[in-house]
């Protein structure tokens, strides 16, 4: 090949200085597909990879709003429309103080391959704002969402770009965003997913990311002749993804012993079940973004300013945010007997941690494990187009089928002796369809 991999990465870094999360996400994919790319002159001639790392469009805008004291606040809004080879741009909106263009570009880039893996007709996109819902009132959140949508509405649409939730954007925020879109366009349409059940939402969408992640982990375990029943699991985060994963793990007979927040982690050796799972919804609705109240409510142990990976478990499922498992955490997990890590957060492990898992335990990346969320978003779009609502069993059966097929794709492209390289499997499996579609659609 004319360009070597180091040159490719060096070019990327030169063109996108300081975008560290984006570089991390691209490097992982490029390393996985480079061999395959090298054997396909058709792809090289069409500069498929070079085009894939350049978003089709990036929109950045001012979001002014007035807080409860009457003071004017200014945030920055974004939508990265990354790749539309397979369908309308699709991906969540993240509202969090840490949001930068680099983070949204890494998420939009990953989303393209994840959406391809679902087999549903969705391109990749991501957006959000550095607005933090922490400590805000419902009224402030509504006014922020309305101002955000007052600019975003002109760029999106049910056949163009269909946002959904991510960190800091749940049912409440989707409601406010949808209301403003409907008012501005005078159109009731499936422009967002994660909607309320009474107004176009799909059953299972709130649970889908967590349920799908556990279905995927079960497939990994079954391949090894194991099952999640009877296993102890550590989970990070306490939001929507953690909630769905914990519910499904309990249903299948596993036990979850940890949760975490920006303030630290809780260890509940009895297991997080029953009322304790419902309590997570209250914690999220409080807008405080701390997990410690769980320990007070249920008499569990709280460990300040630490991550839950020091707790000995059989399985780890990060459900919070990027780079939440580093090399030290990875070594600690393996040393304490953990044999499987299924990443429900996007890029939950650092590149060093992923490298360490490669030679030790079974590890699967977020773009495969957490694809159930966007998959059910895709099913919500189908239901909206048909103007019908499928029953719970139908959506769940489709979700299970999709997770099964994603696991098969990873096994198919990721064979590495007796082990499966899930990183390679997910990246190559996701890449092939996008590459073929881009090739067919010409130089656009
Ligand atoms: O990271 C993700 O896949 C999501 N936040 C869900 C995106 C979606 O469109 O449902």
């Amino acid at each position: 090949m004319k360009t070597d991999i180091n040159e490719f990465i060096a070019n990327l870094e030169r063109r996108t200085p300081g975008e560290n999360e984006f570089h991390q996400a691209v490097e992982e994919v490029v390393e996985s597909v480079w061999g395959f790319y090298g054997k396909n002159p058709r792809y090289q001639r069409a500069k498929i990879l070079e085009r894939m790392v350049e978003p089709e469009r990036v929109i950045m805008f001012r979001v002014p709003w007035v807080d409860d004291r009457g003071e004017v606040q200014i945030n920055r809004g974004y939508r990265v429309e990354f790749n539309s080879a397979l369908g309308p741009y699709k991906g969540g909106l993240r509202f969090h103080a840490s949001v930068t263009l680099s983070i949204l570009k890494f998420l939009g880039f990953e989303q393209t391959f994840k959406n391809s893996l679902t087999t549903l007709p969705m391109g990749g996109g991501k957006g959000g704002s550095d607005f933090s819902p922490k400590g805000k009132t419902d009224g402030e959140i509504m006014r922020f969402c309305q101002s955000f949508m007052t600019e975003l509405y002109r760029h999106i649409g049910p056949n163009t770009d269909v946002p959904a939730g991510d960190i800091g954007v749940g049912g409440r925020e989707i409601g406010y965003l949808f209301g403003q879109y409907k008012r501005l366009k005078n159109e009731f349409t499936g422009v967002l997913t994660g909607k309320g059940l009474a107004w176009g939402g799909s059953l299972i969408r709130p649970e889908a990311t967590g349920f799908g992640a556990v279905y995927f982990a079960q497939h990994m375990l079954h391949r090894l002749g194991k099952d999640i029943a009877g296993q102890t699991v550590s989970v990070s985060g306490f939001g929507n993804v953690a909630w769905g994963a914990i519910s499904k793990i309990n249903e299948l007979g596993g036990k979850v012993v940890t949760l975490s927040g920006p303030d630290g982690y809780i260890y509940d050796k009895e297991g997080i079940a029953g009322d304790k799972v419902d309590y997570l919804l209250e914690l999220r609705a409080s807008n405080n973004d701390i997990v410690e109240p769980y320990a007070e409510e249920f008499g569990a142990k709280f460990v300040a300013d630490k991550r839950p990976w020091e707790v000995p478990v059989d399985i780890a499922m990060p459900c919070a945010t990027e780079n939440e498992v580093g090399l030290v955490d990875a070594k600690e997990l393996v040393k304490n007997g953990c044999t499987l890590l299924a990443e429900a957060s996007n890029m939950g492990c650092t590149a060093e941690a992923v490298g360490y898992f490669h030679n030790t335990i079974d590890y699967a990346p977020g773009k495969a494990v957490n694809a159930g969320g966007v998959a059910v978003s895709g099913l919500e779009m189908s239901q909206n187009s048909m103007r019908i609502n499928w029953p719970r069993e139908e959506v769940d059966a489709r979700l299970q089928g999709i997770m099964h097929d994603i696991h098969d794709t990873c096994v198919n492209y990721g064979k590495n002796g007796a082990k499966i390289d899930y990183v390679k499997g997910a990246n190559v499996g996701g890449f092939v369809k996008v590459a073929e579609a881009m090739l067919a659609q010409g130089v656009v």
Side-chain angles (χ1 to χ4, degrees):
M1 244 192 306
K2 276 215 203 77
T3 321
D4 77 9
I5 188 163
N6 296 326
E7 204 180 316
F8 184 93
I9 300 292
N11 270 336
L12 176 88
E13 291 180 355
R14 190 179 43 73
R15 300 187 65 208
T16 55
E19 297 182 359
N20 297 334
E21 294 84 3
F22 179 54
H23 301 159
Q24 183 185 339
V26 171
E27 274 174 45
E28 186 204 278
V29 169
V30 171
E31 278 166 21
S32 290
V33 305
W34 198 257
F36 185 76
Y37 196 58
K39 289 188 207 113
N40 279 282
R42 296 185 307 143
Y43 293 161
Q44 291 169 48
R45 269 196 303 275
K47 297 231 166 88
I48 293 292
L49 256 186
E50 285 83 347
R51 275 195 274 157
M52 272 185 190
V53 300
E54 192 64 35
E56 289 177 18
R57 191 176 299 107
V58 176
I59 300 145
M60 291 173 65
F61 49 98
R62 177 169 68 202
V63 189
W65 56 283
V66 180
D67 71 16
D68 285 353
R69 292 168 308 167
E71 199 176 312
V72 175
Q73 300 285 342
I74 295 102
N75 288 99
R76 187 176 297 161
Y78 306 83
R79 186 72 182 165
V80 180
E81 297 184 330
F82 224 109
N83 192 302
S84 62
L86 298 182
Y89 308 106
K90 181 83 196 88
L93 297 170
R94 176 177 291 191
F95 291 170
H96 192 267
S98 65
V99 164
T100 59
L101 182 60
S102 169
I103 287 186
L104 297 178
K105 281 179 68 178
F106 116 63
L107 289 163
F109 181 74
E110 293 246 310
Q111 195 82 47
T112 304
F113 301 95
K114 181 196 310 193
N115 294 1
S116 164
L117 285 169
T118 68
T119 70
L120 301 175
M122 300 181 289
K126 201 87 189 189
S129 175
D130 61 351
F131 171 80
S132 170
K134 185 181 159 99
K136 304 292 192 298
T137 63
D138 269 16
E140 289 174 326
I141 290 172
M142 181 180 76
R143 291 196 296 281
F144 172 80
C145 287
Q146 290 176 338
S147 179
F148 184 87
M149 186 53 85
T150 299
E151 173 58 32
L152 187 67
Y153 88 100
R154 69 188 83 248
H155 307 289
I156 63 177
N159 297 311
T160 306
D161 184 353
V162 183
D166 192 79
I167 294 169
V169 179
R172 170 182 53 194
E173 291 75 17
I174 292 293
Y176 296 146
L177 292 163
F178 184 81
Q180 185 71 353
Y181 181 90
K182 181 166 65 70
R183 188 175 190 195
L184 291 166
K185 294 279 277 198
N186 195 25
E187 255 177 36
F188 192 111
T189 173
V191 67
L192 294 164
T193 60
K195 299 186 289 299
L197 281 180
W199 41 280
S202 173
L203 283 159
I204 313 268
R205 178 63 191 88
E207 298 90 334
T209 313
F211 277 20
V214 177
Y215 294 147
F216 194 94
Q218 265 294 47
H219 287 301
M220 294 174 76
L221 288 162
H222 286 171
R223 211 191 59 85
L224 301 167
K226 299 185 195 169
D227 192 275
I228 206 156
Q231 309 244 26
T232 304
V233 187
S234 56
V235 158
S236 61
F238 65 95
N240 170 265
V241 179
W243 166 76
I246 295 169
S247 311
K248 187 53 79 177
I249 292 167
N250 289 336
E251 191 188 316
L252 298 178
K255 182 163 101 172
V256 179
V257 293
T258 67
L259 290 171
S260 71
D263 53 333
Y265 78 87
I266 68 101
Y267 175 52
D268 185 346
K269 64 177 185 322
E270 308 301 327
I272 299 159
D275 293 353
K276 295 171 176 177
V277 184
D278 302 330
Y279 181 74
L280 299 189
L281 301 176
E282 279 177 49
L283 266 185
R284 145 88 173 122
S286 72
N287 295 344
N288 288 327
D289 205 19
I290 50 171
V291 78
E292 189 178 3
Y294 177 102
E296 287 149 25
E297 185 83 15
F298 300 111
K301 182 172 154 194
F302 173 70
V303 182
D305 300 325
K306 292 198 104 176
R307 293 159 170 174
W309 316 125
E310 60 191 21
V311 175
V313 288
D314 305 308
I315 296 169
M317 293 191 69
C319 294
T321 193
E322 65 275 357
N323 294 329
E324 53 171 323
V325 179
L327 182 58
V328 172
D329 304 311
K331 287 183 172 167
E332 185 82 1
L333 278 167
V334 175
K335 188 186 87 198
N336 288 332
C338 175
T339 58
L340 188 141
L341 188 143
E343 196 178 79
S345 44
N346 289 312
M347 205 165 77
C349 298
T350 63
E352 293 75 25
V354 175
Y356 183 73
F357 292 138
H358 188 76
N359 301 313
T360 52
I361 64 170
D362 272 295
Y363 158 81
K367 63 170 80 71
V369 177
N370 73 30
V374 74
V376 175
S377 275
L379 301 178
E380 184 172 328
M381 290 166 72
S382 309
Q383 294 169 79
N384 291 165
S385 297
M386 293 186 285
R387 299 189 192 282
I388 57 166
N389 297 309
W390 286 328
R392 200 176 166 84
E393 297 70 33
E394 165 112 33
V395 181
D396 195 34
R398 285 178 187 265
L399 171 62
Q400 290 192 37
I402 290 168
M403 297 316 296
H404 173 272
D405 291 350
I406 296 175
H407 185 265
D408 266 5
T409 302
C410 290
V411 170
N412 191 19
Y413 287 104
K415 279 205 185 69
N416 180 22
K419 241 186 137 194
I420 300 301
D421 180 345
Y422 284 94
V423 174
K424 185 173 175 204
N427 287 335
V428 178
F431 171 85
V432 174
K433 268 177 61 190
V434 182
E436 285 299 325
M438 287 175 70
L439 212 51
Q441 291 168 23
V443 180
V444 292

